[in-house]
DNA sequence: AGTAACCGGAACAGCATAGTTCGTGTTGCC
DNA sequence: GGCAACACGAACTATGCTGTTCCGGTTACT
């Protein structure tokens, strides 16, 4: 249903078909990226941003947007897919082996901004897409942090007297809060990774451990 | 502008005036409370809940709702005012003297649900009310936690190597996260106060201090 | 150079919501 | 008991949004 597949039967300007499967003119490819970029920014600011707002921000006409994305839900799904792919790429490139505390600090440093962007898009998606679709992508993100917390607990570095699910929630809520404070000018973006890591590791440290230090 | 003042010039059923300033019939008072109750619940679930949804949940007609609240913004403002008053009442009743860690734990225990409810209403209000109005009520809530954190830092119990504003944000983000997890069934509501306090106090503890324990 | 792919403003239909008016009935206060 | 305060469904206007159609112009690919 997304622009990448283009096999949508009855659609406006349905005669528009690429010469080959998936093939497109350069201006069409440029517009699709511009629309996705604009949608990501607009939806992060306001989950109810209109299709007209997004088209304007992308510098294209509404009919052009509808030419590439059949419905608002199609567009939101495409943005969600792209956001997940971007998050996966960054997270795949992050070393999560070795000392759990240091691994978590690296993961936090690499992903705090993406995690927040992801959540903004997710909120918009929740209004348009089925709950299963939302859960599928949400769980993939959670899983990585959970794996490190599991390792940390087994190694005795992280506390195990609180629900594990809550520790994961704590990690995400601190990243989201930092992203919001940073966007609002209340927190220096350059300092955010350190601030989140110090706070999170202090919160997660096994009681009595000397892990609760000023800098990781 | 809210139902309490009733001096709104040209309004539907403008002939409806209480016998005395602010005086109302019993059924009108009951309906106003029902509308505010319903608005608080509906807006907490969905900041875009319609006036028709709220009226239905309150068990009144839309015209009746408009008879008491001139516009949607008037209603949202009234809900915000009431929510702030409720939060003030609970927070005023909480002992914030003595040991900063224990004071913060008490404050958290008393307010985690209210703080979340307050934020939900605040999100709805942000779409309807001027930014100054939002900031005025928001800062009042933040101030109480900030005062305790100040005391804790002076007493050496809380860390001072992270921005103070961030420590306040941490407290609020953990309360919000716990409320969301509780609402979603991922956290036992009866255990939430303990879980938040333990996590928060561990995060705030001055490095090296023995405050990072399992139970406050 | 030719032409299909692509673009996009105008206009339309349908839907949802906010706010208003009308008219009639009910309630509760004096 | 009387009557003003209160209630409320139906119907209306206005606005904004989604999605579609039309049609003429532009771009870019061969």
């Amino acid at each position: 249903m997304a622009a990448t597949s283009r096999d949508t039967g009855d659609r406006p300007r349905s005669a528009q078909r690429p010469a080959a499967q998936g093939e497109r003119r350069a201006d069409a490819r440029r517009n699709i990226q511009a629309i996705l970029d604009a949608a990501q920014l607009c939806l992060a600011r306001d989950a109810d941003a209109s299709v007209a707002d997004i088209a304007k921000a992308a510098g294209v006409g509404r009919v052009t947007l509808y030419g590439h994305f059949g419905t608002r839900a199609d567009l939101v799904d495409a943005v969600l897919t792209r956001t997940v792919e971007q998050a996966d790429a960054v997270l795949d490139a992050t070393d999560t082996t070795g000392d759990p505390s240091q691994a978590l600090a690296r993961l936090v440093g690499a992903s705090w901004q993406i995690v927040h962007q992801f959540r903004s898009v997710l909120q918009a998606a929740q209004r348009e897409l089925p709950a299963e679709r939302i859960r599928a992508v949400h769980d993939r993100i959670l899983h990585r942090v959970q794996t490190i917390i599991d390792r940390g607990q087994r190694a005795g570095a992280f506390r195990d007297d609180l629900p594990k699910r809550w520790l994961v929630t704590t990690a995400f809520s601190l990243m989201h809060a930092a992203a919001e404070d940073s966007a609002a000018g209340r927190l220096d973006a350059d300092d955010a990774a350190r601030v989140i890591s110090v706070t999170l590791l202090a919160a997660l440290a096994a009681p009595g451990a000397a892990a609760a230090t000023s800098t990781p």
Side-chain angles (χ1 to χ4, degrees), chain A:
Chain A
M1 203 63 75
T4 48
S5 64
R6 295 300 298 272
D7 47 20
T8 53
D10 289 315
R11 280 189 50 196
R13 303 206 322 282
S14 60
Q16 290 179 338
R17 294 238 174 250
Q21 179 80 10
E23 196 74 9
R24 273 191 190 79
R25 270 172 39 170
D27 55 350
R29 289 198 299 274
R30 269 197 312 274
N31 279 344
I32 289 171
Q33 287 310 311
I35 291 165
L36 290 173
D37 289 344
Q40 198 159 3
L41 286 173
C42 291
L43 293 173
R45 268 199 300 269
D46 177 10
D48 289 323
S50 68
V51 170
D53 286 338
I54 294 169
K56 190 167 184 174
V60 303
R62 269 202 320 129
V63 180
T64 300
L65 191 153
Y66 277 108
H68 296 303
F69 302 94
T71 66
R72 179 190 173 87
D74 288 342
L75 174 59
V76 170
D77 195 294
V79 172
L80 181 63
T81 298
R82 197 177 79 147
T83 303
V84 168
E85 285 166 0
Q86 286 171 340
D88 275 345
V90 167
L91 296 174
D92 280 345
T94 305
D95 179 16
T96 57
T97 62
D99 177 60
S101 296
Q102 289 171 7
L104 192 51
R106 284 194 294 274
L107 189 64
V108 160
S111 61
W112 69 277
Q113 281 165 315
I114 291 176
V115 153
H116 181 63
Q117 187 178 60
F118 170 78
R119 178 166 111 158
S120 303
V121 169
L122 198 59
Q123 278 172 338
Q126 272 166 341
R127 303 159 187 260
E128 312 278 347
L129 306 177
E132 295 75 29
R133 172 81 175 116
I134 305 300
R135 188 159 35 249
V137 301
H138 189 264
D139 288 348
R140 275 169 67 185
I141 302 293
L142 289 178
H143 181 68
R144 295 171 184 274
V145 171
Q146 191 155 338
T147 300
I148 298 184
I149 288 179
D150 281 342
R151 290 209 296 110
Q153 285 183 326
R154 287 200 295 276
F158 294 161
R159 68 194 313 147
D160 59 7
D161 58 337
L162 292 176
K164 188 173 305 186
R165 192 58 184 80
W166 169 250
L167 300 185
V168 174
T169 293
T170 296
F172 280 95
S173 80
L174 290 178
M175 287 193 274
H176 290 308
E180 284 169 7
D181 272 11
S182 174
R186 296 191 292 267
L187 180 64
D188 183 356
D190 292 335
D191 197 31
R194 178 188 74 88
V195 160
I196 303 168
S197 297
V198 169
T199 310
L200 179 58
L201 291 176
L204 294 184
T213 60
S214 291
T215 51

